[in-house]
Structures are given as C-alpha cells and as structure tokens.
Amino acid sequence: QVQLVESGGGLVQAGGSLRLSCAASGRTFGRSAMGWFRQAPGKEREFVAAVSWSGGNSYYSDSVKGRFTISRDYAKNTVYLQMNSLKPEDTAVYYCAARSRDIYSDYESKNLGAYEYWGQGTQVTVSS
C-alpha cells in the first residue's frame, strides 16, 4: 500500500506560479514511478507529468511542457510539481499517483489505469 497526500494548491493569478507537493508513505517510495494528473469540472482526468523510479526520466503533456517541472526527493519521500506561467485553463483538481511498474515511454506515462495509488487531490485555481 502507498498513501499519498497532496498539498500546495490554491488561487493564483494568470502568469503566477505554484508548487504542489505529494508526500508518500507505505511502500518503498524509490520503487514507485510517480505521476500528476488533473481533472477540470465536466472533463475527464488527464495526464500532466510523470517521473520514473530513478528520477532520471520525466514526461509531460504537451499542454504543460516548458512550464511545469516534476521532481522527487527520496529523502523526504515527496514528489513535486513546479508550475510556472499558469493559465486559466490549468484550473483543476490535481492528483498525485503512484505505480509499481516503472515508466519506459511517453505512452506508458499517460496510462491512467496503470497507476495503482491515488491521493485525494488539491485544487488549483488560476484567475484571469
């Protein structure tokens, strides 16, 4: 079992920045690939970013590439999502997720069904 707790969401103006955190406990953090997904009202949950077991490979959706950065701190069992140049269309509930199988491709990183553990989500609202 892996427990995930997100934090860092809030209200920010367009062009601003936020950093989301996801604290993991339970299963060995270092053997879990980690991802961030988001869900806006009335829309399906979508992939945002992911990072491999080792942290050496990261993956991003086209909509956030160049603006968001995913990273992980093994000492703190935490994964981060640094979000810069935020846009109103980034408004959503952001979810942290973990998977025991490592990620080897863009296709795998986006596979929502392959993530076994999910956090409760944190709201991000970007005003125009």
Side-chain angles (χ1 to χ4, degrees), residues 27-45:
R27 189 179 183 276
T28 303
F29 177 71
R31 295 184 62 188
S32 297
M34 305 296 295
W36 286 97
F37 291 77
R38 66 187 181 187
Q39 188 166 18
K43 295 187 177 181
E44 294 186 351
R45 193 169 297 189

Side-chain angles (χ1 to χ4, degrees), residues 48 60-69 82-85:
V48 176
Y60 299 92
S61 68
D62 288 343
S63 62
V64 307
K65 199 171 294 183
R67 300 188 297 123
F68 291 10
T69 303
Q82 177 67 44
M83 306 186 295
N84 299 328
S85 302

Side-chain angles (χ1 to χ4, degrees), residues 6-10 20-21 36 92-96 119-125:
E6 302 98 333
S7 61
L20 304 184
S21 300
W36 286 97
V93 177
Y94 282 71
Y95 296 91
C96 176
Q120 82 289 349
T122 186
Q123 177 70 46
V124 171
T125 303

